[in-house]
Amino acid sequence: MAAAKTGPKIMTANRLRDGMIVYLGPKGWSEKITDALIAETPEDEARLNAVAQSDVKDRVVVGAYLAQVKKTDSGPEPLSERERIRATGPSVRPVGYTETRNV
Amino acid sequence: MYKYDEYDQTLVDERVAQFRGQVERRLAGELTEDEFRPLRLMNGLYLQLHAYMLRIAVPYGTLSSRQVRKFAHIARRYDKGFGHFTTRQNLQFNWIKLEDTPDILAELASVEMHAMQTSGNCVRNITADQFAGVAADEIEDVRPWAEVIRQWSTLHPEFSFLPRKFKIALSASPHDRAAIKVHDIGLGMTRNSAGEVGFVVYVGGGLGRTPFVGPMIREFLPKAELLGYLEAILRVYNMFGRRDNIFKARIKILVDAVGAEEFTRLVEQEYAASADTAPQVSEDEIARIAAFFQPPAYQRLPARDPAHDRARLEMPAFDRWCRQNVAAHRVKGYAIANISLKPIGGIPGDASADQMDLIADLADRHSFGEVRVTHEQNLVLPDVKIGDLRALWQALDEAGLGAANLGLATDIIACPGLDYCSLANARSIPIAQRISERLGDDERQRKIGDLKIKISGCINACGHHHVGHIGILGVDRKGEENYQILLGGSADQNASLAEVIGPSFNADTVVDGVERIVDTYVALRTPGETFLQTYRRLGPAPFKEKLYGEAASGAA
């Protein structure tokens, strides 16, 4: 499960019941990337992996993996566009969109 | 349209109950994700970039108003207020919860719908010409045969574990609106020299990593032999299709590897050997199914409606919409109304719950309660009285559904792309939006004329970029979104695969690039020549030169 690349990483997954994107933090899985614990050493990663796999087994989450980030003052920022979009929702409309016009 | 009998209804009801049980067992830990994944995929439920995505089957793109209202209800109650129509005439919802899915499927079953076989290595949704039954140029309504194939392929015990997905499309017009030549099996209704109606059969077309235009393997197949012949094709595929490599598992790879001639020989051999056991559709059964597709109670109307003609003179916007979006109907006094889901700068193929409810109402009022979905992500009201077109257009226009751009530069196909899809390398929707805004002026679009721009966010080509007049493929270039431009593709009866024009562009320069290509075409065309005709006449050279010849900055 450990990623081949180096640098800080966070653990992310889909919540099993509702599919929401979640991040592993000190209080468990949160929908906010700012809550995510940042792994900076192989031991950090191993610890996150162990908890994540246990939660996969316990049917809390599915598809857990480590994603590369950079540390910023406002929290971890994903390095890839895919992870950015996972964290913030589609770039073309805000999450929670329920307007009536197709814009 | 087709109505479920007790067997059909029992099948979907039992399927819902079965899936409900499977979800319970998954949530209770009795099934692991590896065990559960194929089961949920067989019910069209993907784990996607933001949540679970549910792909609902819309058989041959035909919907009743009741079903459209159900979509609106599901969008509001279980999702985020909108749905997305796909290039296989299906509908997708993007924020579905696993725990809600059994209830959603139950709601769908109550209106004779399901999400079976919209994923997985089985026969997928059967698609067909969106104008079937009403097209002025068709031989006959092909949908009874699409329905026969649908029933035959649903839960087929021999063909539920194919090497890979399998897509079948049908057309019955010389003008192919269903892209049959780039499907695993394409069936084109045709007449032989004796005037009998049958099918021409194409096998091994496809897009994706290795695109192909499917070769013809049978020039004329009598209607009655359809299922037996399809069975033979699928048996050859099941037997010889590769299972060792997911990227080489489609039937197109097999057809290409052995050659069309040998593949045809294998099929005809299998077909002959199975003559005694081949599935047949009795005349009674085909008549029973065809009865569901009888024409509605058309009124006897004159060919012209003076009030309509006057409205077109008085209202240029209405006139533009009629010119572009209204197609000839086989019955005098009626018209086929195309609803563009491509508002300028909008997200191609999306419809909000409110828009869906409106479309359902308009279908009831103006189209005998029926709606069609096109593989180009638009909708159709197939049976509109010419005299009703103005009221229809006004209602559509007020709801943002009145774009008069069918087949024009802003009628763009775009896959969900990196905004929604975990397979994607790049975003496709924002590119579609910006091209649409750039070329969106009414006057300019009409001056450009017929132009199909198709955008895919990855090589899987759900956006059909291989068969766009202008195709755009999103790629990942050192972690950045980049876009390849391809030219000269076509999905119709003169199908061709687009050619990559040169090095890729970034998200800004690709829009400039497309504009430059369009301007080059306008400058070089002969009177009345379409983009595709000009490209086929001149080839890529003049376009390449305009894009790269001046060492345009930003070109990668």
Side-chain angles (χ1 to χ4, degrees):
Chain A
M1 238 337 183
K5 304 176 180 126
T6 54
K9 298 189 193 75
I10 56 178
M11 178 64 73
T12 181
N14 293 79
R15 202 155 45 206
L16 175 64
R17 289 189 161 265
D18 61 8
M20 293 287 105
I21 304 303
V22 288
Y23 302 93
L24 186 55
K27 296 197 186 130
W29 296 93
S30 165
E31 288 180 41
K32 299 212 281 280
I33 195 172
T34 46
D35 290 341
L37 281 166
I38 300 177
E40 298 189 79
T41 67
E43 285 105 62
D44 291 342
E45 288 183 20
R47 225 180 338 265
L48 288 181
N49 269 320
V51 174
Q53 287 320 302
S54 167
D55 284 344
V56 165
K57 219 183 233 125
D58 285 343
R59 284 126 32 230
V60 177
V61 294
V62 65
Y65 63 93
L66 289 165
Q68 284 194 290
V69 294
K70 63 176 189 256
K71 291 169 72 174
T72 73
D73 290 333
S74 43
E77 223 178 77
L79 292 189
S80 75
E81 196 59 48
R82 169 177 286 106
E83 288 307 324
R84 256 191 296 277
I85 290 172
R86 277 177 92 248
T88 56
S91 68
V92 289
R93 55 163 41 112
V95 174
Y97 173 90
T98 38
E99 281 169 51
T100 57
R101 284 185 70 88
N102 179 16
V103 282
Chain B
M1 58 184 276
Y2 184 70
K3 295 235 170 320
Y4 280 11
D5 60 21
E6 56 175 302
Y7 301 107
D8 299 315
Q9 192 63 51
T10 303
L11 192 158
V12 295
D13 290 341
E14 288 188 350
R15 181 65 163 224
V16 173
Q18 179 190 56
F19 186 64
R20 194 181 291 282
Q22 289 164 348
V23 172
E24 276 163 16
R25 280 152 56 215
R26 174 72 183 104
L27 293 176
E30 293 161 42
L31 288 171
T32 65
E33 186 62 16
D34 283 344
E35 290 165 339
F36 181 68
R37 185 182 307 110
L39 301 175
R40 73 165 155 76
L41 286 174
M42 288 291 262
N43 285 291
L45 192 67
Y46 287 82
L47 188 63
Q48 258 298 354
L49 199 63
H50 302 294
Y52 292 93
M53 181 271 281
L54 181 65
R55 182 181 296 148
I56 299 168
V58 182
Y60 36 88
T62 296
L63 288 166
S64 67
S65 55
R66 186 168 169 242
Q67 292 170 331
V68 175
R69 285 194 186 92
K70 183 61 77 176
F71 286 165
H73 165 73
I74 292 171
R76 283 193 189 98
R77 179 159 181 197
Y78 298 104
D79 203 270
K80 292 196 186 294
F82 70 97
H84 175 77
F85 290 98
T86 77
T87 51
R88 296 224 75 238
Q89 300 179 309
N90 291 321
L91 184 82
Q92 292 182 177
F93 287 115
N94 297 303
W95 282 281
I96 296 300
K97 300 181 161 72
L98 176 62
E99 54 197 352
D100 286 343
T101 307
D103 287 346
I104 295 170
L105 293 179
E107 297 234 33
L108 289 169
S110 77
V111 294
E112 304 182 16
M113 301 202 85
H114 61 77
M116 299 184 329
Q117 298 181 211
T118 57
S119 183
N121 296 335
C122 52
V123 179
R124 301 286 187 90
N125 190 34
I126 311 301
T127 56
D129 176 10
Q130 64 269 19
F131 293 170
V134 296
D137 67 344
E138 72 175 14
I139 292 175
E140 64 185 56
D141 191 341
V142 81
R143 293 174 303 160
W145 294 101
E147 176 59 26
V148 164
I149 299 171
R150 185 189 77 85
Q151 295 193 16
W152 168 78
S153 65
T154 299
L155 306 187
H156 195 302
E158 190 177 342
F159 304 131
S160 293
F161 296 92
L162 297 172
R164 198 78 171 92
K165 64 181 88 168
F166 205 89
K167 301 178 180 179
I168 302 174
L170 292 91
S171 167
S173 294
H175 178 192
D176 175 16
R177 288 174 284 266
I180 68 175
K181 288 190 173 179
V182 288
H183 273 75
D184 296 291
I185 294 178
L187 296 164
M189 207 169 238
T190 188
R191 281 207 168 88
N192 64 7
S193 49
E196 293 161 335
V197 177
F199 293 99
V200 54
V201 184
Y202 303 95
V203 181
L207 305 174
R209 222 159 286 258
T210 39
F212 288 102
V213 173
M216 178 185 70
I217 70 160
R218 183 64 110 79
E219 194 169 2
F220 185 82
L221 178 72
K223 282 181 190 177
E225 298 184 33
L226 182 61
L227 288 188
Y229 201 75
L230 291 182
E231 181 186 72
I233 294 170
L234 279 167
R235 280 189 171 163
V236 170
Y237 177 47
N238 230 359
M239 178 70 82
F240 297 112
R242 291 177 65 164
R243 292 172 191 271
D244 60 304
N245 180 343
I246 194 182
F247 301 125
K248 304 240 183 236
R250 297 291 290 273
I251 196 172
K252 63 188 176 185
I253 304 296
L254 175 63
V255 172
D256 184 60
V258 305
E261 205 180 299
E262 171 63 5
F263 183 81
T264 305
R265 191 194 66 76
L266 288 168
V267 171
E268 297 290 347
Q269 180 182 272
E270 173 63 38
Y271 183 53
S274 308
D276 291 340
T277 56
Q280 306 268 0
V281 192
S282 69
E283 299 248 343
D284 283 348
E285 180 61 6
I286 190 61
R288 183 187 77 86
I289 290 178
F292 290 106
F293 298 94
Q294 285 310 298
Y298 293 121
Q299 292 180 340
R300 188 167 274 124
L301 297 172
R304 298 212 77 83
D305 181 312
H308 167 83
D309 291 326
R310 177 164 301 130
R312 288 184 66 168
L313 288 178
E314 291 171 356
M315 301 168 72
F318 174 53
D319 182 59
R320 274 199 295 276
W321 183 79
C322 289
R323 226 177 265 276
Q324 210 52 51
N325 287 32
V326 175
H329 195 288
R330 33 173 219 96
V331 173
K332 234 175 11 158
Y334 283 83
I336 302 172
N338 287 279
I339 302 175
S340 168
L341 295 185
K342 322 288 179 74
I344 305 304
I347 298 175
D350 277 10
S352 70
D354 286 351
Q355 287 174 328
M356 290 177 188
D357 276 335
L358 174 69
I359 288 163
D361 287 346
L362 292 172
D364 283 339
R365 206 175 310 152
H366 299 301
S367 188
F368 298 99
E370 193 166 294
V371 182
R372 311 285 180 87
V373 186
T374 84
H375 86 266
E376 292 175 326
Q377 304 175 308
N378 289 314
L379 300 179
V380 181
L381 293 186
D383 293 302
V384 183
K385 287 195 279 209
I386 287 175
D388 282 1
L389 286 170
R390 181 186 156 170
L392 173 63
W393 168 75
Q394 248 152 357
L396 290 171
D397 198 44
E398 274 161 33
L401 296 165
N405 62 355
L406 205 83
L408 297 182
T410 59
D411 184 8
I412 299 171
I413 294 181
C415 72
L418 188 55
D419 282 303
Y420 289 97
C421 182
S422 53
L423 298 175
N425 287 316
R427 281 171 292 171
S428 50
I429 296 172
I431 305 299
Q433 290 178 300
R434 288 166 54 213
I435 292 173
S436 175
E437 278 157 1
R438 187 72 70 87
L439 302 177
D441 176 74
D442 268 325
E443 189 69 45
R444 187 178 187 189
Q445 278 198 83
R446 273 174 301 126
K447 187 170 173 212
I448 294 168
D450 292 344
L451 180 58
K452 292 188 189 287
I453 300 176
K454 305 184 184 182
I455 308 176
S456 304
C458 79
I459 195 62
N460 289 301
C462 302
H464 286 205
H465 66 279
H466 291 300
V467 287
H469 301 159
I470 299 177
I472 298 173
L473 169 64
V475 297
D476 180 320
R477 198 167 166 272
K478 299 179 196 163
E480 255 192 43
E481 292 167 295
N482 249 240
Y483 299 92
Q484 272 189 346
I485 295 180
L486 303 87
L487 298 181
S490 177
D492 68 11
Q493 63 278 7
N494 301 310
S496 60
L497 299 177
E499 299 161 309
V500 178
I501 192 69
S504 61
F505 298 81
N506 65 38
D508 296 309
T509 56
V510 69
V511 180
D512 296 331
V514 169
E515 187 172 30
R516 204 171 298 170
I517 289 165
V518 168
D519 289 343
T520 304
Y521 148 66
V522 170
L524 293 175
R525 67 184 172 186
T526 62
E529 213 177 33
T530 63
F531 175 89
L532 188 60
Q533 287 167 334
T534 301
Y535 181 81
R536 284 174 171 168
R537 174 171 62 88
L538 297 176
F543 300 96
K544 258 184 153 88
E545 197 199 297
K546 273 289 182 278
L547 284 180
Y548 305 107
E550 295 137 348
S553 64

PDB file of all heavy atoms in Angstrom, chain B residues 202-227:
ATOM      1  N   TYR B 202     -21.564  -5.313 -38.941  1.00  0.00           N
ATOM      2  CA  TYR B 202     -20.177  -4.866 -38.743  1.00  0.00           C
ATOM      3  C   TYR B 202     -19.710  -5.384 -37.388  1.00  0.00           C
ATOM      4  O   TYR B 202     -20.458  -5.313 -36.407  1.00  0.00           O
ATOM      5  CB  TYR B 202     -20.073  -3.348 -38.737  1.00  0.00           C
ATOM      6  CG  TYR B 202     -20.597  -2.686 -39.979  1.00  0.00           C
ATOM      7  CD1 TYR B 202     -21.898  -2.208 -40.048  1.00  0.00           C
ATOM      8  CD2 TYR B 202     -19.775  -2.539 -41.104  1.00  0.00           C
ATOM      9  CE1 TYR B 202     -22.382  -1.605 -41.192  1.00  0.00           C
ATOM     10  CE2 TYR B 202     -20.261  -1.940 -42.264  1.00  0.00           C
ATOM     11  CZ  TYR B 202     -21.561  -1.484 -42.297  1.00  0.00           C
ATOM     12  OH  TYR B 202     -22.038  -0.886 -43.439  1.00  0.00           O
ATOM     13  N   VAL B 203     -18.487  -5.886 -37.346  1.00  0.00           N
ATOM     14  CA  VAL B 203     -17.956  -6.372 -36.067  1.00  0.00           C
ATOM     15  C   VAL B 203     -16.552  -5.828 -35.851  1.00  0.00           C
ATOM     16  O   VAL B 203     -15.754  -5.774 -36.782  1.00  0.00           O
ATOM     17  CB  VAL B 203     -17.907  -7.923 -36.019  1.00  0.00           C
ATOM     18  CG1 VAL B 203     -17.366  -8.391 -34.668  1.00  0.00           C
ATOM     19  CG2 VAL B 203     -19.282  -8.516 -36.270  1.00  0.00           C
ATOM     20  N   GLY B 204     -16.236  -5.471 -34.626  1.00  0.00           N
ATOM     21  CA  GLY B 204     -14.856  -5.115 -34.298  1.00  0.00           C
ATOM     22  C   GLY B 204     -14.551  -3.648 -34.416  1.00  0.00           C
ATOM     23  O   GLY B 204     -13.386  -3.261 -34.488  1.00  0.00           O
ATOM     24  N   GLY B 205     -15.598  -2.811 -34.452  1.00  0.00           N
ATOM     25  CA  GLY B 205     -15.354  -1.382 -34.347  1.00  0.00           C
ATOM     26  C   GLY B 205     -15.166  -1.020 -32.895  1.00  0.00           C
ATOM     27  O   GLY B 205     -15.551  -1.754 -31.998  1.00  0.00           O
ATOM     28  N   GLY B 206     -14.558   0.130 -32.673  1.00  0.00           N
ATOM     29  CA  GLY B 206     -14.399   0.560 -31.289  1.00  0.00           C
ATOM     30  C   GLY B 206     -13.488   1.759 -31.188  1.00  0.00           C
ATOM     31  O   GLY B 206     -12.808   2.107 -32.142  1.00  0.00           O
ATOM     32  N   LEU B 207     -13.482   2.370 -30.029  1.00  0.00           N
ATOM     33  CA  LEU B 207     -12.664   3.563 -29.783  1.00  0.00           C
ATOM     34  C   LEU B 207     -11.619   3.185 -28.728  1.00  0.00           C
ATOM     35  O   LEU B 207     -11.067   2.103 -28.787  1.00  0.00           O
ATOM     36  CB  LEU B 207     -13.579   4.714 -29.364  1.00  0.00           C
ATOM     37  CG  LEU B 207     -14.700   5.000 -30.382  1.00  0.00           C
ATOM     38  CD1 LEU B 207     -15.666   6.046 -29.853  1.00  0.00           C
ATOM     39  CD2 LEU B 207     -14.120   5.435 -31.713  1.00  0.00           C
ATOM     40  N   GLY B 208     -11.293   4.068 -27.823  1.00  0.00           N
ATOM     41  CA  GLY B 208     -10.365   3.693 -26.754  1.00  0.00           C
ATOM     42  C   GLY B 208      -8.914   3.648 -27.201  1.00  0.00           C
ATOM     43  O   GLY B 208      -8.506   4.327 -28.132  1.00  0.00           O
ATOM     44  N   ARG B 209      -8.165   2.824 -26.528  1.00  0.00           N
ATOM     45  CA  ARG B 209      -6.724   2.730 -26.742  1.00  0.00           C
ATOM     46  C   ARG B 209      -6.358   2.344 -28.173  1.00  0.00           C
ATOM     47  O   ARG B 209      -5.368   2.798 -28.724  1.00  0.00           O
ATOM     48  CB  ARG B 209      -6.163   1.663 -25.797  1.00  0.00           C
ATOM     49  CG  ARG B 209      -4.874   1.981 -25.108  1.00  0.00           C
ATOM     50  CD  ARG B 209      -4.737   1.097 -23.879  1.00  0.00           C
ATOM     51  NE  ARG B 209      -5.622   1.521 -22.828  1.00  0.00           N
ATOM     52  CZ  ARG B 209      -5.243   2.224 -21.754  1.00  0.00           C
ATOM     53  NH1 ARG B 209      -3.993   2.573 -21.607  1.00  0.00           N
ATOM     54  NH2 ARG B 209      -6.123   2.560 -20.845  1.00  0.00           N
ATOM     55  N   THR B 210      -7.137   1.452 -28.753  1.00  0.00           N
ATOM     56  CA  THR B 210      -6.888   0.975 -30.120  1.00  0.00           C
ATOM     57  C   THR B 210      -8.168   1.112 -30.927  1.00  0.00           C
ATOM     58  O   THR B 210      -8.967   0.172 -30.981  1.00  0.00           O
ATOM     59  CB  THR B 210      -6.430  -0.495 -30.112  1.00  0.00           C
ATOM     60  OG1 THR B 210      -7.185  -1.192 -29.119  1.00  0.00           O
ATOM     61  CG2 THR B 210      -4.967  -0.617 -29.824  1.00  0.00           C
ATOM     62  N   PRO B 211      -8.369   2.261 -31.554  1.00  0.00           N
ATOM     63  CA  PRO B 211      -9.626   2.458 -32.284  1.00  0.00           C
ATOM     64  C   PRO B 211      -9.652   1.720 -33.607  1.00  0.00           C
ATOM     65  O   PRO B 211      -8.608   1.530 -34.254  1.00  0.00           O
ATOM     66  CB  PRO B 211      -9.641   3.977 -32.513  1.00  0.00           C
ATOM     67  CG  PRO B 211      -8.209   4.394 -32.493  1.00  0.00           C
ATOM     68  CD  PRO B 211      -7.496   3.432 -31.580  1.00  0.00           C
ATOM     69  N   PHE B 212     -10.846   1.291 -33.998  1.00  0.00           N
ATOM     70  CA  PHE B 212     -11.043   0.648 -35.298  1.00  0.00           C
ATOM     71  C   PHE B 212     -12.404   1.021 -35.849  1.00  0.00           C
ATOM     72  O   PHE B 212     -13.367   1.134 -35.094  1.00  0.00           O
ATOM     73  CB  PHE B 212     -11.035  -0.885 -35.164  1.00  0.00           C
ATOM     74  CG  PHE B 212      -9.693  -1.484 -34.889  1.00  0.00           C
ATOM     75  CD1 PHE B 212      -9.363  -1.888 -33.603  1.00  0.00           C
ATOM     76  CD2 PHE B 212      -8.763  -1.660 -35.900  1.00  0.00           C
ATOM     77  CE1 PHE B 212      -8.124  -2.452 -33.323  1.00  0.00           C
ATOM     78  CE2 PHE B 212      -7.518  -2.214 -35.632  1.00  0.00           C
ATOM     79  CZ  PHE B 212      -7.205  -2.607 -34.342  1.00  0.00           C
ATOM     80  N   VAL B 213     -12.472   1.147 -37.162  1.00  0.00           N
ATOM     81  CA  VAL B 213     -13.766   1.131 -37.838  1.00  0.00           C
ATOM     82  C   VAL B 213     -14.050  -0.335 -38.111  1.00  0.00           C
ATOM     83  O   VAL B 213     -13.218  -1.043 -38.687  1.00  0.00           O
ATOM     84  CB  VAL B 213     -13.717   1.937 -39.145  1.00  0.00           C
ATOM     85  CG1 VAL B 213     -15.009   1.774 -39.931  1.00  0.00           C
ATOM     86  CG2 VAL B 213     -13.442   3.404 -38.855  1.00  0.00           C
ATOM     87  N   GLY B 214     -15.197  -0.832 -37.689  1.00  0.00           N
ATOM     88  CA  GLY B 214     -15.496  -2.257 -37.787  1.00  0.00           C
ATOM     89  C   GLY B 214     -15.697  -2.706 -39.222  1.00  0.00           C
ATOM     90  O   GLY B 214     -16.441  -2.078 -39.978  1.00  0.00           O
ATOM     91  N   PRO B 215     -15.043  -3.786 -39.637  1.00  0.00           N
ATOM     92  CA  PRO B 215     -15.278  -4.317 -40.980  1.00  0.00           C
ATOM     93  C   PRO B 215     -16.659  -4.975 -41.070  1.00  0.00           C
ATOM     94  O   PRO B 215     -17.192  -5.466 -40.081  1.00  0.00           O
ATOM     95  CB  PRO B 215     -14.171  -5.364 -41.149  1.00  0.00           C
ATOM     96  CG  PRO B 215     -13.791  -5.752 -39.762  1.00  0.00           C
ATOM     97  CD  PRO B 215     -14.030  -4.561 -38.886  1.00  0.00           C
ATOM     98  N   MET B 216     -17.202  -4.981 -42.284  1.00  0.00           N
ATOM     99  CA  MET B 216     -18.449  -5.686 -42.513  1.00  0.00           C
ATOM    100  C   MET B 216     -18.151  -7.179 -42.584  1.00  0.00           C
ATOM    101  O   MET B 216     -17.247  -7.585 -43.319  1.00  0.00           O
ATOM    102  CB  MET B 216     -19.062  -5.228 -43.837  1.00  0.00           C
ATOM    103  CG  MET B 216     -20.347  -5.952 -44.175  1.00  0.00           C
ATOM    104  SD  MET B 216     -20.974  -5.520 -45.797  1.00  0.00           S
ATOM    105  CE  MET B 216     -19.775  -6.283 -46.858  1.00  0.00           C
ATOM    106  N   ILE B 217     -18.887  -7.988 -41.838  1.00  0.00           N
ATOM    107  CA  ILE B 217     -18.661  -9.430 -41.955  1.00  0.00           C
ATOM    108  C   ILE B 217     -19.828 -10.133 -42.627  1.00  0.00           C
ATOM    109  O   ILE B 217     -19.724 -11.298 -43.006  1.00  0.00           O
ATOM    110  CB  ILE B 217     -18.336 -10.097 -40.597  1.00  0.00           C
ATOM    111  CG1 ILE B 217     -19.557 -10.139 -39.680  1.00  0.00           C
ATOM    112  CG2 ILE B 217     -17.160  -9.422 -39.914  1.00  0.00           C
ATOM    113  CD1 ILE B 217     -19.413 -11.200 -38.583  1.00  0.00           C
ATOM    114  N   ARG B 218     -20.964  -9.418 -42.764  1.00  0.00           N
ATOM    115  CA  ARG B 218     -22.113 -10.046 -43.432  1.00  0.00           C
ATOM    116  C   ARG B 218     -22.874  -8.913 -44.118  1.00  0.00           C
ATOM    117  O   ARG B 218     -23.328  -7.984 -43.463  1.00  0.00           O
ATOM    118  CB  ARG B 218     -22.988 -10.760 -42.399  1.00  0.00           C
ATOM    119  CG  ARG B 218     -24.141 -11.491 -42.987  1.00  0.00           C
ATOM    120  CD  ARG B 218     -23.698 -12.640 -43.898  1.00  0.00           C
ATOM    121  NE  ARG B 218     -23.960 -13.951 -43.361  1.00  0.00           N
ATOM    122  CZ  ARG B 218     -25.162 -14.537 -43.391  1.00  0.00           C
ATOM    123  NH1 ARG B 218     -26.187 -13.903 -43.912  1.00  0.00           N
ATOM    124  NH2 ARG B 218     -25.311 -15.723 -42.872  1.00  0.00           N
ATOM    125  N   GLU B 219     -23.033  -9.064 -45.444  1.00  0.00           N
ATOM    126  CA  GLU B 219     -23.662  -8.005 -46.216  1.00  0.00           C
ATOM    127  C   GLU B 219     -25.175  -7.990 -46.011  1.00  0.00           C
ATOM    128  O   GLU B 219     -25.805  -6.938 -46.034  1.00  0.00           O
ATOM    129  CB  GLU B 219     -23.349  -8.203 -47.687  1.00  0.00           C
ATOM    130  CG  GLU B 219     -23.665  -6.998 -48.528  1.00  0.00           C
ATOM    131  CD  GLU B 219     -23.085  -7.122 -49.934  1.00  0.00           C
ATOM    132  OE1 GLU B 219     -22.471  -8.172 -50.232  1.00  0.00           O
ATOM    133  OE2 GLU B 219     -23.274  -6.174 -50.710  1.00  0.00           O
ATOM    134  N   PHE B 220     -25.759  -9.160 -45.827  1.00  0.00           N
ATOM    135  CA  PHE B 220     -27.193  -9.235 -45.617  1.00  0.00           C
ATOM    136  C   PHE B 220     -27.523 -10.403 -44.698  1.00  0.00           C
ATOM    137  O   PHE B 220     -27.247 -11.560 -45.023  1.00  0.00           O
ATOM    138  CB  PHE B 220     -27.951  -9.393 -46.942  1.00  0.00           C
ATOM    139  CG  PHE B 220     -29.437  -9.350 -46.755  1.00  0.00           C
ATOM    140  CD1 PHE B 220     -30.095  -8.135 -46.644  1.00  0.00           C
ATOM    141  CD2 PHE B 220     -30.188 -10.519 -46.651  1.00  0.00           C
ATOM    142  CE1 PHE B 220     -31.473  -8.074 -46.432  1.00  0.00           C
ATOM    143  CE2 PHE B 220     -31.554 -10.466 -46.456  1.00  0.00           C
ATOM    144  CZ  PHE B 220     -32.206  -9.246 -46.344  1.00  0.00           C
ATOM    145  N   LEU B 221     -28.091 -10.088 -43.580  1.00  0.00           N
ATOM    146  CA  LEU B 221     -28.541 -11.112 -42.627  1.00  0.00           C
ATOM    147  C   LEU B 221     -30.052 -10.987 -42.506  1.00  0.00           C
ATOM    148  O   LEU B 221     -30.549  -9.948 -42.085  1.00  0.00           O
ATOM    149  CB  LEU B 221     -27.889 -10.883 -41.264  1.00  0.00           C
ATOM    150  CG  LEU B 221     -28.293 -11.827 -40.144  1.00  0.00           C
ATOM    151  CD1 LEU B 221     -27.683 -13.206 -40.368  1.00  0.00           C
ATOM    152  CD2 LEU B 221     -27.840 -11.282 -38.786  1.00  0.00           C
ATOM    153  N   PRO B 222     -30.809 -12.014 -42.887  1.00  0.00           N
ATOM    154  CA  PRO B 222     -32.261 -11.922 -42.731  1.00  0.00           C
ATOM    155  C   PRO B 222     -32.619 -11.671 -41.276  1.00  0.00           C
ATOM    156  O   PRO B 222     -31.969 -12.192 -40.357  1.00  0.00           O
ATOM    157  CB  PRO B 222     -32.752 -13.310 -43.194  1.00  0.00           C
ATOM    158  CG  PRO B 222     -31.648 -13.851 -44.026  1.00  0.00           C
ATOM    159  CD  PRO B 222     -30.384 -13.297 -43.447  1.00  0.00           C
ATOM    160  N   LYS B 223     -33.672 -10.885 -41.079  1.00  0.00           N
ATOM    161  CA  LYS B 223     -34.072 -10.499 -39.711  1.00  0.00           C
ATOM    162  C   LYS B 223     -34.217 -11.714 -38.794  1.00  0.00           C
ATOM    163  O   LYS B 223     -33.784 -11.703 -37.641  1.00  0.00           O
ATOM    164  CB  LYS B 223     -35.431  -9.820 -39.759  1.00  0.00           C
ATOM    165  CG  LYS B 223     -35.465  -8.405 -40.208  1.00  0.00           C
ATOM    166  CD  LYS B 223     -36.926  -8.020 -40.124  1.00  0.00           C
ATOM    167  CE  LYS B 223     -37.273  -6.725 -40.735  1.00  0.00           C
ATOM    168  NZ  LYS B 223     -38.733  -6.504 -40.658  1.00  0.00           N
ATOM    169  N   ALA B 224     -34.858 -12.744 -39.321  1.00  0.00           N
ATOM    170  CA  ALA B 224     -35.174 -13.902 -38.475  1.00  0.00           C
ATOM    171  C   ALA B 224     -33.925 -14.589 -37.951  1.00  0.00           C
ATOM    172  O   ALA B 224     -33.984 -15.329 -36.961  1.00  0.00           O
ATOM    173  CB  ALA B 224     -36.029 -14.897 -39.249  1.00  0.00           C
ATOM    174  N   GLU B 225     -32.798 -14.336 -38.605  1.00  0.00           N
ATOM    175  CA  GLU B 225     -31.562 -15.020 -38.201  1.00  0.00           C
ATOM    176  C   GLU B 225     -30.740 -14.200 -37.219  1.00  0.00           C
ATOM    177  O   GLU B 225     -29.635 -14.611 -36.831  1.00  0.00           O
ATOM    178  CB  GLU B 225     -30.724 -15.322 -39.447  1.00  0.00           C
ATOM    179  CG  GLU B 225     -31.428 -16.267 -40.421  1.00  0.00           C
ATOM    180  CD  GLU B 225     -30.530 -16.637 -41.595  1.00  0.00           C
ATOM    181  OE1 GLU B 225     -29.293 -16.735 -41.408  1.00  0.00           O
ATOM    182  OE2 GLU B 225     -31.058 -16.796 -42.712  1.00  0.00           O
ATOM    183  N   LEU B 226     -31.253 -13.066 -36.796  1.00  0.00           N
ATOM    184  CA  LEU B 226     -30.446 -12.118 -36.033  1.00  0.00           C
ATOM    185  C   LEU B 226     -29.841 -12.713 -34.761  1.00  0.00           C
ATOM    186  O   LEU B 226     -28.625 -12.654 -34.556  1.00  0.00           O
ATOM    187  CB  LEU B 226     -31.288 -10.886 -35.674  1.00  0.00           C
ATOM    188  CG  LEU B 226     -30.551  -9.791 -34.908  1.00  0.00           C
ATOM    189  CD1 LEU B 226     -29.382  -9.239 -35.698  1.00  0.00           C
ATOM    190  CD2 LEU B 226     -31.515  -8.647 -34.550  1.00  0.00           C
ATOM    191  N   LEU B 227     -30.686 -13.304 -33.917  1.00  0.00           N
ATOM    192  CA  LEU B 227     -30.155 -13.784 -32.632  1.00  0.00           C
ATOM    193  C   LEU B 227     -29.167 -14.928 -32.824  1.00  0.00           C
ATOM    194  O   LEU B 227     -28.159 -15.010 -32.118  1.00  0.00           O
ATOM    195  CB  LEU B 227     -31.292 -14.233 -31.709  1.00  0.00           C
ATOM    196  CG  LEU B 227     -32.158 -13.122 -31.132  1.00  0.00           C
ATOM    197  CD1 LEU B 227     -33.122 -13.702 -30.093  1.00  0.00           C
ATOM    198  CD2 LEU B 227     -31.310 -12.017 -30.499  1.00  0.00           C
TER     199      LEU B 227
END
